[in-house]
Amino acid sequence: TQQILDFAMSLLGDLREDDEAPVTTRTGPPVELFRFSDPGACVGFLAAALRELSRSEPSASVAILPPSPDASALYHQGLVNSDLSQVRLVENQKFTVLPGIEVTEIEQVKGLELDYIVLADVTDRNYPGTPASRRLLHVGATRAIHQLWLTSVGTPSSLVSGATLV
């Protein structure tokens, strides 16, 4: 959507190679950032939102993209413990290509597109203001077809503070 594209392009900043952004014909919901004081609150919020999404859109594909394999395992376990169905931990790019929730790192989803993407734990610790972090977040953001959310436990990364968000 235009909103996702605008956000993704703002992440790149001066790393953009093209003066003009690609053209998109669709608009959608705004890119949103949700801030939490602890990881448990974040997982609880995501579990409730994803439960509702699975009821309203049972064929939706969702990816939760934490910053590391250890964080992916923690998010996966937290969502499984929240009694969400169809939650899968993806390792070695072994996606099921089925409706449901895939939990993995951004590097694993390069080249794929999913209906909904959650970039999890977008903090300075995980995504410092480096070109590599800018590119990584850009890759994650551009995997979303319909909607993009970001979560932050604590202060969000400075990379998203100037980005196009609600």
Side-chain angles (χ1 to χ4, degrees):
T1 65
Q2 188 65 52
Q3 291 81 355
I4 294 168
L5 184 61
D6 290 345
F7 173 76
M9 297 310 287
S10 70
L11 282 172
L12 288 177
D14 60 358
L15 298 176
R16 288 177 61 172
E17 295 176 4
D18 299 323
D19 289 334
E20 294 186 31
V23 176
T24 182
T25 58
R26 294 183 309 120
T27 62
V31 175
E32 295 183 76
L33 170 65
F34 298 93
R35 295 176 66 168
F36 302 94
S37 58
D38 64 83
C42 181
V43 170
F45 168 80
L46 289 174
L50 294 170
R51 190 173 293 108
E52 180 57 35
L53 179 64
S54 68
R55 279 194 277 266
S56 63
E57 293 185 49
S59 62
S61 59
V62 179
I64 310 294
L65 304 176
S68 69
D70 288 343
S72 291
L74 289 172
Y75 272 86
H76 173 258
Q77 192 59 54
L79 293 172
V80 167
N81 291 347
S82 298
D83 292 327
L84 275 176
S85 61
Q86 299 180 318
V87 179
R88 298 173 292 273
L89 181 62
V90 175
E91 297 175 311
N92 303 316
Q93 295 182 314
K94 294 187 180 184
F95 288 87
T96 61
V97 193
L98 295 171
I101 304 158
E102 311 265 17
V103 183
T104 192
E105 304 77 55
I106 294 171
E107 295 88 351
Q108 301 267 346
V109 295
K110 191 170 184 177
L112 298 177
E113 289 184 330
L114 295 105
D115 296 320
Y116 299 88
I117 294 288
V118 178
L119 298 176
D121 290 339
V122 181
T123 63
D124 272 328
R125 179 173 164 245
N126 296 319
Y127 300 98
T130 64
S133 291
R134 286 181 180 281
R135 287 186 187 98
L136 193 59
L137 286 172
H138 179 266
V139 167
T142 56
R143 304 304 91 206
I145 296 172
H146 300 300
Q147 192 163 16
L148 174 63
W149 285 359
L150 288 73
T151 68
S152 172
V153 176
T155 305
S157 169
S158 58
L159 294 176
V160 300
S161 64
T164 308
L165 290 167
V166 207

